[in-house]
Amino acid sequence: MSSKKQAANHYSHSFELKLDKLPVRQSDRAALRFLYPGIFSGLVLMAIGLYDMFSDMNSEGVFFPNLNVEEYHSFLNPAFFDIGLVLAGLGLVIILFSSYLKYRKIIFDGKEMKIIDRQTGGKKTVYKDLVKNYEGVQFRMEFFQLGFMTKTRYIIELLHKNVHKTAPLYISTNGKGIRKKWKYYAKAFQLPALVLTAEGLERHNVEDLDKTIIALAEEGKIHSGYDAGEALPPFIVLVRKRDKKVLKMAKILWDVYNIFTLGIIAAAALVCLLLAFAGGDSAIVLWLDLAIVLFLGGMLYLLFRRDKIAIKKHKIIVVHKFPFGNFKKDEIYKDKIEAVEVAQNPQTGRFYLAISSDDKTVLFGKKLPAETLQWAKKYLIYDLCKK
């Protein structure tokens, strides 16, 4: 299995290097629309802390006049809590604003790729190399948190052995047509199409990218490797029904990322408790308490999600299973599927199953082990190719 690799750090959530008119230059920078919610939250925390602090000021300008020395040094003293809110909000605003000051300027003249990397402090570093020295055009996906929702960032990049020279070509949070874009850039640069899988960096010939799994199987270029006598791997269940087969996670899996999320929930619960203790009957504090409780409920609910795949006669459906019902995430028709791969997110080391057609990619099993996903891949290819 491939080990975790260092990935290029791209800042954008919406980026496209257009090659129709050269030379071309484009800035890779964090999108403000993804920073605004965090900046707003930081300003709200600062406003609440300052409001509560000044509301407790008496006519002489003395804070908390009725507190004795013992109370003043108490951890739960409102003064410390208000100052903590202001500092936390200020820190969040500074961190997010600093991230906007960083950018990478991508310049391409038809032969050479040039990257100007500017960090928060203003220092600029220039990296450049000829396109012929690049390894290929890589397609990968990253998962990031937007509030308590997990979103996907689809990335196509010109991959170099020196990670600082790896250049973004296309970045989006919408996966529609992403494989078509990948093919376009691979053909334009006349380089192999790359994807990081459980076996390592996989290279695809450009001429095979437009062929479906079924077509590749008919040409003898792909084999499932599925063994009907092989025992099911851990953490997955196969259910055969009259009109479909269902692959699903056997249980909810917890990992370091879930533990981190639980830590956030515990911290938010503590904030909720402290707000209730320090805020008294303040309406603004009560409303903030309610908002935090709803946020915690949403995060806890999402932690209990399990994925499953419904394999029907003509299509595959990915479903998110929650404690109180199922949610259809996406579907893809079998005769359109061009790839089934166990891919890796190099930033986290996590594996996932990616099922791709020309215009979409659906995902399954982000928390499952690579060995389990490999079995699921073999079974899906077997199901696609059987007569």
Side-chain angles (χ1 to χ4, degrees), residues 138-289:
Q138 178 172 249
F139 167 52
R140 64 184 173 93
M141 285 171 274
E142 288 181 356
F143 311 112
F144 66 97
Q145 288 299 129
L146 186 61
F148 55 85
M149 296 295 292
T150 300
K151 299 284 286 182
T152 304
R153 191 165 67 142
Y154 301 87
I155 299 171
I156 300 170
E157 59 194 358
L158 196 60
L159 187 68
H160 198 283
K161 290 181 179 179
N162 182 344
V163 69
H164 299 292
K165 294 183 180 181
T166 294
L169 301 173
Y170 183 84
I171 303 173
S172 178
T173 55
N174 184 349
K176 185 174 178 60
I178 190 67
R179 191 174 173 87
K180 192 179 296 183
K181 287 282 187 183
W182 183 35
K183 298 174 191 175
Y184 162 75
Y185 283 111
K187 292 175 182 177
F189 287 103
Q190 297 183 327
L191 290 171
L194 309 175
V195 62
L196 186 61
T197 71
E199 290 84 16
L201 197 61
E202 191 172 291
R203 287 170 166 80
H204 296 271
N205 293 326
V206 174
E207 58 267 21
D208 288 336
L209 289 180
D210 289 319
K211 297 176 182 178
T212 65
I213 291 285
I214 296 171
L216 290 171
E218 290 173 349
E219 294 177 11
K221 291 183 176 180
I222 189 170
H223 303 278
S224 71
Y226 172 69
D227 180 3
E230 182 182 356
L232 277 173
F235 310 116
I236 201 167
V237 174
L238 174 62
V239 179
R240 292 180 172 88
K241 298 185 178 181
R242 182 179 59 82
D243 61 337
K244 62 184 175 183
K245 296 177 284 293
V246 179
L247 275 176
K248 60 183 179 180
M249 295 171 66
K251 61 181 180 179
I252 298 169
L253 297 178
W254 297 81
D255 57 16
V256 65
Y257 303 99
N258 294 116
I259 295 171
F260 177 73
T261 303
L262 284 174
I264 293 176
I265 292 173
L270 178 61
V271 169
C272 213
L273 177 65
L274 292 175
L275 280 172
F277 178 84
D281 296 327
S282 171
I284 191 169
V285 171
L286 292 176
W287 278 109
L288 185 60
D289 258 350

Side-chain angles (χ1 to χ4, degrees), residues 252 300-302 304-305 321-325:
I252 298 169
L300 279 172
Y301 185 73
L302 292 177
F304 289 92
R305 191 191 89 189
K321 181 177 176 60
F322 292 99
F324 302 108

Side-chain angles (χ1 to χ4, degrees), residues 270-374:
L270 178 61
V271 169
C272 213
L273 177 65
L274 292 175
L275 280 172
F277 178 84
D281 296 327
S282 171
I284 191 169
V285 171
L286 292 176
W287 278 109
L288 185 60
D289 258 350
L290 178 61
I292 293 175
V293 168
L294 292 175
F295 175 76
L296 294 180
M299 290 187 73
L300 279 172
Y301 185 73
L302 292 177
L303 284 178
F304 289 92
R305 191 191 89 189
R306 286 187 288 170
D307 290 348
K308 67 179 183 179
I309 297 178
I311 307 168
K312 295 195 171 185
K313 184 176 181 180
H314 298 296
K315 62 184 178 180
I316 290 174
I317 303 171
V318 176
V319 177
H320 289 172
K321 181 177 176 60
F322 292 99
F324 302 108
N326 297 332
F327 171 71
K328 177 182 172 182
K329 175 61 178 175
D330 215 335
E331 66 180 25
I332 189 167
Y333 283 89
K334 289 182 173 181
D335 60 358
K336 302 291 184 183
I337 295 175
E338 297 180 351
V340 180
E341 295 163 322
V342 179
Q344 184 183 30
N345 181 349
Q347 288 194 327
T348 63
R350 274 183 172 180
F351 295 94
Y352 57 90
L353 191 68
I355 308 167
S356 305
S357 69
D358 195 48
D359 63 347
K360 71 165 62 175
T361 298
V362 299
L363 308 179
F364 169 76
K366 294 179 186 176
K367 297 178 183 178
L368 290 173
E371 293 79 5
T372 300
L373 292 172
Q374 286 283 21

